[in-house]
């Protein structure tokens, strides 16, 4: 029985040992705006995978259109979105359980059930995964005697430098397939058949198994050691800092996260990377990545409709069009420019700059969720809801996080050097040079006093906001400012 392989199942761990059919679906590309570089990565990955002799590449408008041309029954690895699960839920498919994550759906369901309706916590899930897999464990104890090393990590960006000085990230050499992909995208975009946003640019991420392994090896040998300390920091001259840039090959299914975690662990045991960095990285790969995947199914399809804080503001045009020039706030303009240039930001820029601004300005969470999927090279339907609706926008009212991830300019000023080039002052909340992130934070608390009243973790900042003599002035100022930052 041939296997229908989905475009995010491209690595060997998805191969069921049957002849493979791979569909390049034009309709998928035309259905929503895509970042240039994301569309390139997907097409390039599919076309490279189709070079294998057991793979037949089919070009069709959609999977359904292709299925209508034959009556073959296919094997398939359970796909990664509600839409595709509906497609394979028919007598045309024999489906095996999903792959490409550390914890199976069955094991997650059992773990979640054991929590008896209490909030599911990443820390619990992560520890249970470590215990089950033996990752960074010595018998029943965590290696190094602690489950996390946060006190060694999360340092502010180093002063008086604009880059971290770590080895440059691995970068692929483009080939004839990339050249053809670029020609096709340029033509389809010019003909108005697809809508591409951001800039085209040299391919920065792995799209084949070979490339993915090379990227992984380079990261572990050259960059992993500094991953932990500067995980949350940002420097204007260093777009990647010491991050792995592995989300693209992981989300294309080219790397198995458990193999990635084991290789990182080996770097600690061989003395090539410090424990705090390795633990921090394993937590991302085997903890957070799996956690948000399982929450996608656990919270269900309607989760993206949640809007606890009743946030209804439309996304600014500068975000929709990835056009930084009209934005004065240096942190926002810098990050939007990076999204336009590469379709990638590191975690804290996604969460504490763009996510935080969106939360403060009351951007519509569902629209924001779609925007993140469209604009980021690693964006997928499963990865976004827990990250955007839950973690960053608190639109689920606290199913995912105990409090909103809102912060003022002081945090950005401490962790990055972005404020240096800004016309606003992170310490000022009212007046000409009032920082929109600082003032926006207080205006957010003011606006959401009622829905956040019962949240004990917000009690202290709420009390401080209520005592502020300039509460009304900030409210008026930020209402006038709106999304014009
Ligand atoms: C608002 C928002 C949007 C995000 N959008 C995406 C997205 O579209 N695709 C995506 O893969 N991740 C997303 N993330 C998670 C995280 O920011 C990215 O995985 C990470 O920045 C990718 O860069 P990297 O590969 O260098 O990661 P590193 O910092 O090197 O981390 C290693 C790996 O850990 C995994 N990881 C870490 N945190 C998370 C997380 N919260 N959710 C899922 N995986 C995680 C990723 O696979 C990543 O490659 C988002 C987070 C937020 C807050
Ligand atoms: S001063 Fe405020 S707006 Fe400017 S970069 Fe810093 S945090 Fe952003």
């Amino acid at each position: 029985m041939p296997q229908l392989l989905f475009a995010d199942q491209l690595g060997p761990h998805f191969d069921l040992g049957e002849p493979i059919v791979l569909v390049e679906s034009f309709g998928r590309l035309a259905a929503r705006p895509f970042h240039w570089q994301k569309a390139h990565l997907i097409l390039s990955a599919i076309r490279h995978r189709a070079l294998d002799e057991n793979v037949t590449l089919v070009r069709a408008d959609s999977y359904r259109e292709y299925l209508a041309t034959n009556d073959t029954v296919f094997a398939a690895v359970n796909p990664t979105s509600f839409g595709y699960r509906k497609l394979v839920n028919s007598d045309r498919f024999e489906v095996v359980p999903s792959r490409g994550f550390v914890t199976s759906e069955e094991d997650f369901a059992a773990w979640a059930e054991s929590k008896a309706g209490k909030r599911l916590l990443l820390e619990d899930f992560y520890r249970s995964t470590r215990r089950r897999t033996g990752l960074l464990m010595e018998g029943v104890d965590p290696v190094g005697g602690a489950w996390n090393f946060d006190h060694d990590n999360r340092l502010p960006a180093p002063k008086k430098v604009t880059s971290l000085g770590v080895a440059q990230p691995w970068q692929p050499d483009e080939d004839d397939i990339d050249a053809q992909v670029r020609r096709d995208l340029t033509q389809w975009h010019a003909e108005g058949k697809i809508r591409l946003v951001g800039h085209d640019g040299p391919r920065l991420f792995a799209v084949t198994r070979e490339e993915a392994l090379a990227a992984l090896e380079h990261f572990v040998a050259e960059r992993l050691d500094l991953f932990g300390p500067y995980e949350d920091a940002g420097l204007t001259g260093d777009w990647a800092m010491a991050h792995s840039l592995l989300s693209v090959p992981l989300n294309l299914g080219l790397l198995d996260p458990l193999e990635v975690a084991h290789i990182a662990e080996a770097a600690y045991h061989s003395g090539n990377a410090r424990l705090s960095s390795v633990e921090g990285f394993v937590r991302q790969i085997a903890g957070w990545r799996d956690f948000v995947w399982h929450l996608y199914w656990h919270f269900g399809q309607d989760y993206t409709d949640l809007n606890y804080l009743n946030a209804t503001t439309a996304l600014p045009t500068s975000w929709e069009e990835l056009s930084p020039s009209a934005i004065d706030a240096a942190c926002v303009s810098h990050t939007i420019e990076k999204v336009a240039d590469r379709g990638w930001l590191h975690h804290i820029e996604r969460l504490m700059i763009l996510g935080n601004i969106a939360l403060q300005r009351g951007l519509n969470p569902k629209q924001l969720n779609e925007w993140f999927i469209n604009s980021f090279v690693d964006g997928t339907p499963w990865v976004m809801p827990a990250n955007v609706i839950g973690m960053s926008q608190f639109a689920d009212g606290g199913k995912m996080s105990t409090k909103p991830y809102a912060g003022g300019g002081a945090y950005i000023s401490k962790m990055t050097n972005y404020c240096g080039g800004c016309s606003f002052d992170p310490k000022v909340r009212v007046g000409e040079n009032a920082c929109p992130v600082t003032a926006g934070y207080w205006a957010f608390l003011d606006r959401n006093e009622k829905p956040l009243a019962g949240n004990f973790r917000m009690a202290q900042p709420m009390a401080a906001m209520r005592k502020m003599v300039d509460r009304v002035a900030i409210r008026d100022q930020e209402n006038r400012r709106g999304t014009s930052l």
Side-chain angles (χ1 to χ4, degrees):
M1 185 189 301
Q3 177 183 0
L4 190 78
L5 193 73
F6 290 90
D8 56 0
Q9 301 180 335
L10 303 179
H13 49 297
F14 289 98
D15 195 332
L16 301 176
E18 306 292 344
I20 285 173
V21 173
L22 194 53
V23 178
E24 184 179 304
S25 157
F26 187 79
R28 288 281 292 169
L29 209 55
R32 49 162 74 231
F34 267 81
H35 195 292
W36 267 99
Q37 295 179 47
K38 177 177 182 173
H40 186 122
L41 288 161
I42 294 170
L43 288 186
S44 182
I46 292 174
R47 293 180 187 182
H48 276 97
R49 184 71 175 85
L51 295 176
D52 281 7
E53 55 188 16
N54 69 333
V55 177
T56 305
L57 180 65
V58 173
R59 294 207 162 91
D61 197 53
S62 67
Y63 283 83
R64 286 187 197 282
E65 183 195 90
Y66 165 64
L67 290 171
T69 64
N70 61 77
D71 52 12
T72 311
V73 173
F74 288 98
V77 175
N78 216 0
T80 59
S81 68
F82 286 105
Y84 282 146
R85 290 225 168 154
K86 204 163 153 205
L87 178 82
V88 301
N89 187 13
S90 86
D91 53 14
R92 294 289 300 280
F93 286 92
E94 283 192 11
V95 179
V96 303
S98 61
R99 298 178 180 187
F101 294 89
V102 176
T103 300
S104 69
E105 291 180 46
E106 209 182 2
D107 283 348
F108 181 86
W111 172 81
E113 208 178 317
S114 75
K115 300 292 150 200
K118 290 203 208 102
R119 184 191 279 119
L120 303 180
L121 297 174
L122 175 274
E123 191 61 35
D124 278 358
F125 171 68
Y126 170 63
R127 290 184 191 187
S128 81
T129 304
R130 293 257 306 265
R131 287 194 186 96
R132 202 189 63 250
T133 57
L135 272 169
L136 287 175
M137 296 296 291
E138 269 165 348
V140 294
D141 297 318
V143 168
W147 290 100
N148 82 61
F149 297 88
D150 281 355
H151 51 278
D152 296 328
N153 291 345
R154 310 204 165 138
L155 299 183
K159 303 284 174 231
K160 298 188 179 145
V161 293
T162 53
S163 91
L164 205 50
V166 70
Q168 286 298 300
W170 174 91
Q171 194 181 328
D173 292 324
E174 291 200 8
D175 61 10
D176 291 348
I177 292 181
D178 290 299
Q180 186 58 49
V181 166
R182 186 158 283 117
R183 281 194 291 275
D184 287 347
L185 288 175
T186 307
Q187 185 186 334
W188 297 336
H189 181 62
E191 290 170 355
K193 292 181 175 160
I194 58 173
R195 193 179 150 224
L196 299 172
V197 294
H199 307 311
D200 190 8
R203 179 159 69 78
L204 298 173
F205 301 91
V207 295
T208 67
R209 171 73 178 165
E210 214 180 17
E211 287 183 351
L213 289 173
L216 171 61
E217 194 184 320
H218 178 271
F219 167 70
V220 170
E222 308 288 341
R223 296 162 52 80
L224 172 60
D225 185 49
L226 270 194
F227 172 84
Y230 298 110
E231 202 178 339
D232 288 358
L235 287 165
T236 44
D238 198 337
W239 68 274
M241 300 295 281
H243 290 274
S244 69
L245 309 184
L246 292 175
S247 52
V248 169
L250 277 163
N251 294 357
L252 287 170
L254 293 165
L255 293 171
D256 184 335
L258 192 56
E259 80 177 327
V260 174
H262 278 308
I263 290 172
E265 179 179 12
Y268 163 65
H269 290 301
S270 65
N272 199 33
R274 69 192 81 181
L275 182 56
S276 58
S277 284
V278 172
E279 188 284 315
F281 184 69
V282 167
R283 172 181 292 264
Q284 306 304 321
I285 294 285
W288 277 111
R289 182 173 186 271
D290 257 63
F291 195 53
V292 305
W293 154 254
H294 290 295
L295 291 181
Y296 174 69
W297 304 107
H298 182 78
F299 288 151
Q301 204 162 1
D302 297 338
Y303 184 71
T304 51
D305 293 329
L306 298 180
N307 194 349
Y308 180 73
L309 298 177
N310 195 22
T312 53
T313 309
L315 254 66
T317 319
S318 54
W319 289 37
E320 292 282 14
E321 295 176 357
L322 299 182
S323 124
S325 54
I327 308 172
D328 291 330
C331 53
V332 187
S333 136
H334 177 64
T335 43
I336 291 288
E337 185 175 6
K338 281 167 78 169
V339 181
D341 287 348
R342 298 180 199 86
W344 184 93
L345 292 175
H346 57 76
H347 185 69
I348 222 64
E349 293 174 323
R350 299 186 202 211
L351 183 65
M352 291 311 291
I353 298 186
L354 297 187
N356 184 23
I357 296 288
L359 179 69
Q360 292 183 357
R361 303 284 147 185
L363 302 190
N364 179 278
K366 190 169 188 167
Q367 209 190 340
L368 184 72
N369 193 66
E370 288 301 301
W371 179 81
F372 268 109
I373 296 178
N374 300 343
S375 315
F376 282 72
V377 286
D378 50 10
T380 68
W382 64 263
V383 82
M384 229 46 105
N387 274 311
V388 175
I389 303 291
M391 193 186 328
S392 106
Q393 299 305 294
F394 205 69
D396 63 2
K399 285 177 185 222
M400 163 100 194
S401 312
T402 48
K403 73 176 187 65
Y405 269 95
Y411 178 81
I412 295 171
S413 169
K414 178 177 149 210
M415 298 306 291
T416 74
N417 67 351
Y418 304 167
C419 298
C422 188
S423 50
F424 302 114
D425 182 335
K427 292 191 280 309
V428 177
R429 56 188 192 216
V430 189
E432 273 285 274
N433 60 343
C435 163
V437 187
T438 300
Y441 173 72
W442 296 113
F444 165 78
L445 294 184
D446 174 43
R447 193 175 68 246
N448 291 295
E449 191 177 6
K450 226 167 156 189
L452 297 177
N455 188 310
F456 78 97
R457 291 195 65 198
M458 297 303 285
Q460 212 181 355
M462 275 299 176
M465 184 275 297
R466 284 189 203 104
K467 280 193 214 132
M468 276 172 13
V469 286
D470 45 14
R471 177 176 178 177
V472 175
I474 295 174
R475 181 191 304 159
D476 292 346
Q477 167 186 284
E478 294 313 304
N479 279 344
R480 278 195 305 277
R481 181 141 50 187
T483 55
S484 309
L485 304 184

